Every structure is written in C-alpha cells, then in structure tokens.
C-alpha cells in the first residue's frame, strides 16, 4: 500500500542511525508505520529508505489502495469554520470538519492552532483566551486586577494552607474514570464514520459515550475557563497516518485515558460543571443543554482568579515575584530534563527495535550454521555438541525477539509519561506569563495612580489580587509537584521492574542453553 | 601521540557502522589502538575518523613521540635475509631482522611470507615445503609415492583403528605446557631489546626461555616436517602497532599459549624431537646442537608419509578419494561457518564497546539530570524520589561500563577460538592439496606404466602409499574432530556462563535500583 505523506519540517538524519534526511514540503512514501518510539520508516523519491520522526510528517491525502472509510474520514485539509454559538447542526458532525465551537472569538486562534496546537502529548503550548472580552485584548490580567464586581456563589475555589504551602481543596475521594471500548460508529448511511469511546466515571459507574471531537470540545472549555491559572495539557495528537488502524486507536485511547486521569486528579478541573457534564450527562438533551450553558460561561480567562479565595494573609509583592521566578526556573529546567529523556529514549527505542535484535539474530544464525556444518562431519558422537549449539543459536534468536519487543513493555511507558509532562510543561510559560504580566501591572501601581489611570483604592485591590493569583499559582505548583512525584515514582518502578524481568528472562534462557553443553 | 600506519588492503566502510573507508597504500593516523575485537580507530588525511580492521594496516615506522625502545625494536620494513644454515650469529638476533633460518631453500617463500603468511590466528594458509628437493619442485607427492628407500627406525608413526576410525597413537599422559612471565631482555648494551617468555612443560616442570623468534623457528621446522600431513597453524600475529605495550604482550602470550597447547595436544607433533628440544633443552649448547640437527632433518615435506605405518589393510582408491572429498567439503564449510561467527562477533564487539554503552550512559545521565532538577523544586518530601532516581541513573552508568567490558570476558574467547580454527582451517587446503595430487598421480598409474615412466611394481607401491596417506589424513581429521568438539564445547560453555553472569548482574543491579522507589 503506497502511503504518501508530506514533510512538515526539515529533518537531518544523524549519520549511522538509519535515519532519512527530509525537507519541508517533500513528499515521501511511508513504508512502515509500526516502528514505534515516535518513528516511522519512509522512502524518498530517490528510493532511499530510513527513519523519520512521525511528528515531522503529515498525510498527503494522496492515498492509494485505501478503503473508502479511510478516505472519507481522513482530514484532507485543516478547515477552520466559525459557527454560531450553540448551533444545533454542529452537534454530531464528523471529525473532519474539525469545528471549533468557541464562536467568533476564536479568530486569533485559527492561524496557528489546529494541527500545531493540538500537538497532543507532543504539543508544547496552550492558548489562553486572554482576549475573550473586546477592549482588553492586550491587557489580560487587568481585566481581573481592576474589575469592579467579583463572581459570587457556589463557584468559589478555596485555597488552604497545607503542609507543603498553599493547596487546592481536595475531595475526600479522588475522581477517576475508565476510557475503554472504542467502537466504530457511522452516520449519513454509513458514509461518515468515527470512533466512539466509552467513559465510565468512578462516581456514577455509568458509562457515557464520546467521540474525539467531544474531548476536543471539553479541552477548549477547560482551556478557556482554567488556562490562566491551571495548565491544561493538550489532547493526544490528531494523528494523520492510519487513524483507523487498530494500533492507532489503541494508542489514542491510552492517551485519552492518560489525559482524562490527569484531569480527574485535578481537584479544580474535576469538580467543574463542564467536566462533570462530560462524565455524567444523562441523555442527548442533557448534554446539549449543558454544552450551551458551558459555552456561555463568562468566568473564563483571567476571571477565574475572581473565584479563588485563599484562606491566608495577603502576600508581600516581593515574595510573589520570587515564587513566580522560582516556578519559571523549575519548569524550564524540568522541560529540558524531560526532553533529554525523550531524545535518549527515542534513540534507545530505535536501537532496541532495529540494529540490536538484528545482531542477536545474526549471532543465533551463526551458531546454528556452524552447528549444521558440524553435523555434516561424519564423525561419531557429534550430536551432543550440535544439539546444544543449535539450542544456543535458537536462544539468541529468542533474545533478538525479546529485545525488539521490550521497548513496548517498559520504554513505552517511560516515554508516554515524559511526553505527557512535556505537554504539561509546555503550558506553564503561558500560565506564568499571565502571572508575570499581573506582577508588572502591580509594579506600575504608583505611576498609574499618579497619572490618575487608577484610584489609590484600585492600587490596593491590585496588590491584593496579585497575592490571590500567587496563591493560585503556588497551589497549582504544589499540585504539580505532588503528581510529578507520584507519576515518576510509578513509571520508574514500572520501567525498572520490566527491565529486571527482561534481563532475568534472558539470563534464565541462557542458563538453560548453557546446561545443554557437556562438561568433558 | 601521532601514530602513523600504512593501509595494506582496501577496506570499504559499511555505512552507519562508524567505519572508515581506506585504500591500499594510504597513510592513516591511529587514534585508538584499544578498541579490541580486531579493530583500531584511525584518522585519514581528510580528518575523518573511524574504525579499520587491524589486519588491514601496517605500522609505517613514521613514529612520533614514541620511546626509543619502541623505535629501535619496531619492524620498519620487512627484511628477508638469507643466512647460512646454522650460522652462529643469527642465534640471539633481535626480532627486527626477522631472519628465516630455513636456509637458502626459503627463496620461494620470501615474497609472500613474513607479514602475510604469519597472519597468525588470522592467517589462512601455510606454506608446505614441497620443493625442498630440487628436481621435484612441481611433483611433490611423487617424491614419496615413488621413492626407493623409506625411512627406518625410531621415527615411525603408527596409526591404529579406533572407535572413530584411523587414529594417531596417543600418549597415556597428554603433554601440556604453560607460557608465562614475559620479560624484557636486552642486548647490545640495551640498544636492542626483546621479550622473552617462560615455557614450562608438564613433563619436566622445568621452565625454558624462548623469544618469539624461537617460536617462529619451531613453527618453520614443524611446517617443514609435518605440514604435508598435519595442518600446522600459523603463529600469532607479528603485530606491528604497539608491540611493547602491556596489552599486546599479554595478548601475544595468550595466543602463544593457545598455539603451544594445540601443538602439545597433537600426539605426533608433541612427540617429535624438535618439539621436545624446544620444551626441554638443558642449556644453550644443547639448544644449538639440537637446532642444527633439526635443520638438517631430511624427513620433511611429503617424506613424512614414509614414516607412517597404519595397522590396517590397504584402502580402495575410490574410498581414498571419497574420504578426501568429504574432508575437503567439511573444512571448507567449517571455514565459512567460522568466518561468519568472526564477522558477526566483530560487529557485536564494536556495538558493545561503542554505541551501546554510550547509550546506557546517556540514559543514566538523563535520569540523574532529571533527578537534580527535581531536587531544585523546593517542594518538601522530594528526596525519596530523587535519591532513587539518582541511584537508577548511576545503575545505568554502571551497566554502560559492564556492557563495554563484557566482550573481553566472553566474546573475546569465542573470537580467539574461532580465530584459531580459522588459522587451522586455512592449513587444510594445502594438506588436502598434497593428498589430491597424490590421488591424481595414482590415477595416471596405467598410463605411466604404458609409457614406461614407472614400472608395474611402482604402480602397486603408489596405490599402497596413497592408502597410507589416506590413513594419515583420516587420523588427522579424527584428531581435528575430537579437538574441535572439545574446544567448541568448552568455549560455548564459557561464553554462555559469562553471558548468564552478565545478565544476572544487570538484573540484580536493576532490582536494587528498583527497591529504592517507594510504593505509594
């Protein structure tokens, strides 16, 4: 099956690594999509074959020998439509029109978002709706810092002082959910089809169905509402190659599960109306009503801070700035650390699935070949040695296979976790950016009062509110740290456990092979 | 240290294998001699660096920054001198003049022998003195097949019928010897120096000293005397680079030990006067006398067959030819098998000492870097995770080192054994060639009688003698098979045993690293 793809970015092959140098705009043929570790194998027009990072390519839509299903559902071109808010007919549209139902405000997003923004686990930035309200397009945090009336009522978000410092209010039982059972659905008499996932929350234990586009809608809502205070990680990739293949569906489900788990774990996100709607809507009517309500929510962007109530004295502006600097440094350093692991892991993946098993296979074959030569000697008493050598050769072939399959058992999870964190860390510059802008605004306080831009009372309010923002940022960082410690403990344990099993199995196989040789 | 070398043969780098393409005659700079596995790292005149097989290069003698010792003892150019047989002054010459004391007969050898022939373990042919006696230069086996008077007396070599067929007469106790204690000796007031090895035979338990050139003399004698019937493997390499370095001396000693062990194990070779002289000479006078006697030995070349006495009925010429064909096929097939293992092993060696440990090191560093980022979080309760991650990182650095050092513990011996067999198998075409020539001569029997070239009686004698030759070849093949089964059993056991230890140690290290993570 000739599977053409277009190169999105230049990629220079590292010599001796079985990679293929490609240029932006070049058309290549995908020869193997199942390399794993973020690689695909492709052939260029000169017939050269090699590995290319899968992020660097996009399916051309020049699909030959492909089923009608694929053809119809494949996103040929990113289409950005602006639909009327709450329009009925966007409800069950298929994935390819990729509707953003955030309404006419999304203008500024249409350029860069879509494919790029939704780099999923690989994405590295989120788009916060700072300019949701006309007139404040360039002065995001002011909207909150200087607003007259704050939100009241049930939506208040308290912050407590915990052992580690400011913390969000955590529920007694942590919400959880299971994403499972992906099913192909279709509409328009089978001409349009999609994958529907079943999501079962631990609270109700009642499954609801959602398509990827619903997840996407949820993501947009969460980003609008919480993005200024809480990094909302991108959804997993809108992958372009082979989207209906089993492996892809499995991988997407795994990543959607990871994303949902992270959202469930967040006390603020998981408790929000929109998230609860997504998990527990009763029927289509319920869903539509809730959807419209969520889309009309005005406590979005920086206004989220207006709902936050720290139970602690106001912070000194210098401390606010120091904390912010510290978080900025940390997240940048961790971003580097995570990317290093991903780079190393990607290289290791390639070696473990390519040259290394090939070599073990050749060792195995060489032993077996020599064994069969020995068998032809005509000398008596040959078989004890040749049986043992053949067994040893076969053992190395088995080891070859184990080596090739191992990354999917351990490195995969290490990569997935670090990919998730790469996505998450990519959101921090925006969140911290809002914070820094607010700090700058507060610093200008005296000047603004002097030039009568604001009243002295407003200056006091600004300082108080930037303190609230700082509490929110600290609570969020503490949430991040606690999750990070949990996640890395878990993934390192899993990785090392599987590695131990792997080496122990090899040792046991070789011990068995060894026992077949006679001691003379 | 700029260490220049000359390229002996073209070598084309395999892409992606960190190899360097070199042309015959090219001068390269050796940048690392300690790669192992038959590789050295070198730089060409264009500054490109990569691996080159060490067999493919020869030291130029353009040595910079090298000690006087090296400079003086390094073989600058192969020098082939013809000295008078038994001349006194060749006795303690240093290695560089590389004298062949086989006298004026060595003419035909001087061209190709030396560096090439003594490819040592890597060599693949031996030079049998078929033309030792003028007038028979092109009709080797005839010398024996048609000679009037056979050797008599104590030098008879019986062949018995054993369980596996014709076998040499084996001694009750197998001779063995230990090559040890290499010492630098010098002469000419310290201007010329050499390495002297101590050889202690199991029979006398009294050590004798020999230099490499004495081993070489012994090799020449054994080749002259037994080469038509018994494959005499070449001596280990006359290595050109770094000959006085500790590692080289150790390696040469190990290979001389291997060569001596093989000779000791051979019932015919080990029982010969010249071999006994080498192992048990009492003093310099004893040595010189024995040396001269050995050099005058006339039972050399095909005449060795005149001493062989099989205790079995004459063989049918058709059976003789079939056996010969069978041995020829087997040794050629085994030669291929052995070379395949060597090629694969050499590749594996390179990967295990190069890219693989580098990758484990990078994984280890990546874990440690992330751990130290975590440490900077300012979040409390960080240390359990960071300590565990640092330990895991260090474990991967340890694994990197283990991987890099492992080939010396197992692959080395597998390579050495196969190298030895490659050398041994390279001798068979000559041995079998003598045999085939004899068979052809016997086939011409009727024609030779008809044209009165030989008498009818001589035709009968020829058939009888080719049967003797066949018994010798069969005895030798049986000796070879029995040794081969022993050697491969032993080396495979050693290899697998070390591999088991290696993987078990890694598993244990990782289990230890795993235990440091907390279960939360």
């Amino acid at each position: 099956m000739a599977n053409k793809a277009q190169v999105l970015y230049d990629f220079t092959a590292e010599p001796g690594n079985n990679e293929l140098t490609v240029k932006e705009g070049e058309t290549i043929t995908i020869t193997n999509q199942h390399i794993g570790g973020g690689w695909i194998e492709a052939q260029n027009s000169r017939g050269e074959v090699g590995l290319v990072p899968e992020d660097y390519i996009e399916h051309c839509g020049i699909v030959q020998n492909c089923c009608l299903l694929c053809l119809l559902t494949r996103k040929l071109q990113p289409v950005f439509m602006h639909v009327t808010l709450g329009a009925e007919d966007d409800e069950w549209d298929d994935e390819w029109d990729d509707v953003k139902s955030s309404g006419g405000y999304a203008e500024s997003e249409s350029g860069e978002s879509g494919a790029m923004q939704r780099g999923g686990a690989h994405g590295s930035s989120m788009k916060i709706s700072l300019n949701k309200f006309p007139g404040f397009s360039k002065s995001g945090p002011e909207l909150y810092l200087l607003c007259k009336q704050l939100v009241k009522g049930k939506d208040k978000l308290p912050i407590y002082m915990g052992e580690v410092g400011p913390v969000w209010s955590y529920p007694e039982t942590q919400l959880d959910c299971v994403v499972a059972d992906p099913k192909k659905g279709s509409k328009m008499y089978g001409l349009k089809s999609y994958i529907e996932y079943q999501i079962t929350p631990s609270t109700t234990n009642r499954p609801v169905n959602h398509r990827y586009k619903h997840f996407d809608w949820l993501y947009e809502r969460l980003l609008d509402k919480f993005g200024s205070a809480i990094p909302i990680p991108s959804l997993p990739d809108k992958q372009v190659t082979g989207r209906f293949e089993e492996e892809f569906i499995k991988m997407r489900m795994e990543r959607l599960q990871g994303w949902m788990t992270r959202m469930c774990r967040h006390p603020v996100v998981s408790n929000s109306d929109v998230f609860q709607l997504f998990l527990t809507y009763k029927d289509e009517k319920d869903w539509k009503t809730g959807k419209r309500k969520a889309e009309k929510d005005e406590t979005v962007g920086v206004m989220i801070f207006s709902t936050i109530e720290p139970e602690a004295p106001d912070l000194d502006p210098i401390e606010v700035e120091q904390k912010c600097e510290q978080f900025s440094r940390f997240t940048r350093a961790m971003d580097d650390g995570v990317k290093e692991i991903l780079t190393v892991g990607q290289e290791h993946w390639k070696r473990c699935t390519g040259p290394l098993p090939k070599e073990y296979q050749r060792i195995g074959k060489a032993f077996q070949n020599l064994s069969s030569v020995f068998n032809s000697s005509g000398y008596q008493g040959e078989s004890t040695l040749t049986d043992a050598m053949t067994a040893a050769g076969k053992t190395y072939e088995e080891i070859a296979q184990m080596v090739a399959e191992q990354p999917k058992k351990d490195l995969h999870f290490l990569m997935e976790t670090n990919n998730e964190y790469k996505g998450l860390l990519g959101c921090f510059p925006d969140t911290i950016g809002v914070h820094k802008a607010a700090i700058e605004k507060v610093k200008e306080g005296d000047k603004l009062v002097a030039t009568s831009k604001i009243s002295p009372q407003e200056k006091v309010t600004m300082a108080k509110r930037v303190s609230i923002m700082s509490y929110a940022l600290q609570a969020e960082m503490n949430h991040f740290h606690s999750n990070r410690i949990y996640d890395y403990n878990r993934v390192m344990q899993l990785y090392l456990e599987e590695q131990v099993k792997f080496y122990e199995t090899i040792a046991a196989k070789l011990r068995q092979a060894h026992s077949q040789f006679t001691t003379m």
Side-chain angles (χ1 to χ4, degrees), chain A:
Chain A
M1 175 170 117
N3 210 351
K4 299 278 180 188
Q6 187 133 28
V7 176
L8 297 173
Y9 322 103
D10 287 357
F11 172 70
T12 308
E14 201 180 304
N17 267 339
N18 192 27
E19 295 169 355
L20 183 67
T21 296
V22 290
K23 291 270 165 215
E24 187 185 330
E26 189 180 341
T27 300
I28 55 176
T29 306
I30 296 168
T31 50
N32 187 351
Q33 299 181 6
H34 305 299
I35 302 295
W39 298 95
I40 58 106
E41 188 193 71
Q43 184 174 42
N44 65 16
S45 59
R46 293 175 301 285
E48 295 160 345
V49 174
L51 302 183
V52 178
E54 61 184 6
D55 295 351
Y56 282 54
I57 61 151
E58 183 179 50
H59 225 276
C60 281
I62 308 168
V63 184
Q64 291 155 7
N65 304 326
C66 188
C67 67
L68 179 68
L69 194 70
C70 299
L71 208 64
L72 282 169
T73 52
R74 201 175 299 275
K75 184 177 146 201
L76 297 175
Q77 288 287 331
V79 178
F80 298 99
M81 290 170 56
H82 300 270
V83 299
T84 316
L85 211 147
E88 289 291 330
D89 62 351
D90 79 335
E91 190 52 40
W92 300 106
D93 269 356
D94 69 84
E95 282 184 302
W96 85 4
D97 49 9
D98 196 38
V99 173
K100 303 218 176 231
S101 48
S102 54
Y105 303 117
E107 188 79 86
S108 69
E109 286 180 32
S110 62
E112 312 122 1
S113 69
M116 280 309 295
Q117 182 201 335
R118 252 94 51 93
H122 306 277
S124 58
S125 83
M126 67 176 180
K127 264 242 120 73
I128 302 172
S129 297
L130 295 180
N131 49 355
K132 190 97 180 177
F133 296 85
F136 281 92
S137 61
K138 278 187 178 173
S139 49
E142 291 172 7
L143 179 64
Y144 161 63
L145 292 176
L146 294 172
C147 79
K148 300 293 182 219
Q149 204 173 356
L150 293 183
V151 178
K152 276 171 192 161
K154 71 168 182 89
D155 284 336
K156 288 291 177 189
L157 299 171
I159 287 177
Y160 300 104
M161 289 307 290
E163 277 178 34
V164 294
V167 288
W168 298 115
S169 164
Y170 284 83
E172 272 181 37
T173 319
Q174 193 178 280
L175 178 60
D176 202 358
C177 75
V178 175
V179 182
D181 205 15
K183 276 206 186 82
K184 228 176 251 183
S186 67
K187 51 182 237 152
M188 284 181 67
Y189 308 99
L191 275 179
K192 292 187 174 185
S193 69
Y194 50 82
I195 302 291
E196 212 167 44
Y197 302 88
Q198 198 181 68
I199 302 106
T200 312
S202 57
T203 41
T204 62
N205 213 22
R206 200 179 55 81
V208 295
N209 291 324
H210 282 297
R211 291 164 52 191
Y212 181 85
K213 66 166 284 189
H214 301 160
F215 283 94
D216 200 33
W217 176 86
L218 175 64
Y219 166 71
E220 295 284 350
R221 293 286 74 65
L222 296 178
L223 190 59
D224 266 5
K225 186 161 182 66
F226 299 116
S228 295
I230 299 168
I232 305 294
S234 299
L235 278 183
D237 259 347
K238 270 224 160 195
Q239 194 165 327
V240 278
T241 54
R243 67 157 37 152
F244 275 94
E245 287 174 38
E246 252 178 67
E247 258 188 73
F248 164 69
I249 291 168
K250 199 181 139 221
M251 172 68 90
R252 170 175 276 185
M253 193 177 75
E254 195 184 310
R255 287 179 173 168
L256 285 174
Q257 173 74 69
W259 189 84
M260 283 301 291
T261 301
R262 193 161 296 282
M263 294 298 98
C264 281
R265 266 203 244 159
H266 199 290
V268 174
V269 170
S270 65
N271 197 39
S272 67
D273 287 347
V274 62
F275 195 72
Q276 287 294 331
L277 169 75
F278 185 84
L279 278 183
T280 60
Y281 75 90
K282 286 186 192 70
D283 50 32
E284 206 179 309
K285 187 168 165 273
D286 192 26
W287 168 249
K288 284 190 187 176
T289 315
K291 206 163 169 277
R292 257 175 254 166
K293 191 180 155 217
E295 282 160 357
K296 280 179 190 147
D297 189 353
E298 292 198 344
T299 315
V300 293
V302 291
M303 287 313 287
I304 192 65
F305 293 112
S306 70
T307 65
I308 291 169
E309 290 194 330
E311 291 195 343
D314 289 352
L315 287 170
D316 182 73
I318 290 169
E319 199 180 345
V320 168
E321 194 167 1
Q322 280 171 347
K323 288 278 174 198
C324 180
E325 277 307 323
Q326 190 194 338
F327 297 154
S328 174
R329 267 196 311 275
F330 178 81
T331 49
R332 266 182 288 139
M334 181 166 169
D335 195 46
D336 290 344
V338 161
K339 281 174 183 160
E340 185 190 352
I341 288 197
L342 288 172
T343 307
V344 172
Q346 211 170 19
E347 279 303 306
H348 193 51
W349 187 290
K350 208 169 53 175
R351 188 177 313 281
C352 290
T353 54
L356 205 53
K358 253 184 224 159
E359 207 163 278
Y360 283 116
Q361 211 160 24
R362 284 175 66 201
I363 292 171
K365 281 266 176 275
F367 283 156
Q368 288 176 82
N369 287 346
L370 196 59
S371 174
S372 78
V373 170
F374 286 1
N375 239 338
S376 75
S377 71
Y379 186 76
Q380 59 164 269
E382 193 76 71
S383 67
T384 315
L385 173 62
T386 55
D387 287 355
M389 277 190 72
T390 302
K394 285 194 175 138
T395 301
Y396 276 94
E397 285 188 322
E398 283 169 39
I399 291 174
Q401 213 177 334
M402 280 181 65
V403 169
E405 285 165 9
Q406 189 59 21
K408 285 188 183 159
K409 294 185 190 161
D410 49 26
L411 189 52
H412 170 69
F413 299 102
L414 190 64
M415 300 283 280
E416 284 295 302
T417 299
N418 279 285
N419 257 329
E420 253 196 274
Y421 271 88
K422 184 180 152 195
L424 206 48
L425 289 162
C427 302
F428 272 99
D430 283 351
T431 307
I432 288 171
V434 174
H435 206 71
K436 281 189 177 161
I439 291 168
E440 288 313 308
K441 192 50 77 182
V442 172
K443 278 187 185 167
E444 289 172 25
D446 286 335
K447 204 180 78 187
L448 291 169
V449 172
T451 54
S452 300
K453 293 260 171 69
I454 59 170
S455 70
Q457 181 53 40
E458 279 178 320
K459 194 196 129 193
V460 174
T461 305
M462 286 215 304
K464 191 180 172 60
R465 289 185 182 172
V466 86
S467 164
I468 292 175
M469 286 177 75
S470 179
Y471 275 116
L473 184 60
Q474 288 179 56
E476 188 51 28
M477 277 312 293
N478 285 331
H479 176 74
F480 176 83
H481 287 321
S482 122
N483 274 280
R484 168 179 59 75
I485 289 173
Y486 174 83
D487 287 338
Y488 277 88
N489 243 311
R490 203 189 41 155
V491 78
M492 287 298 292
Q493 277 184 61
L494 187 143
Y495 182 71
L496 292 171
E497 206 172 292
E498 288 299 323
Q499 285 266 292
V500 168
K501 273 191 219 161
F502 170 68
Y503 288 110
E504 276 179 349
T505 309
I506 292 179
K509 275 178 188 291
L510 290 169
R511 205 181 306 119
Q512 168 61 23
H514 174 264
S515 72
Q516 300 201 39
F517 288 88
T518 55
T519 317
M520 296 197 298

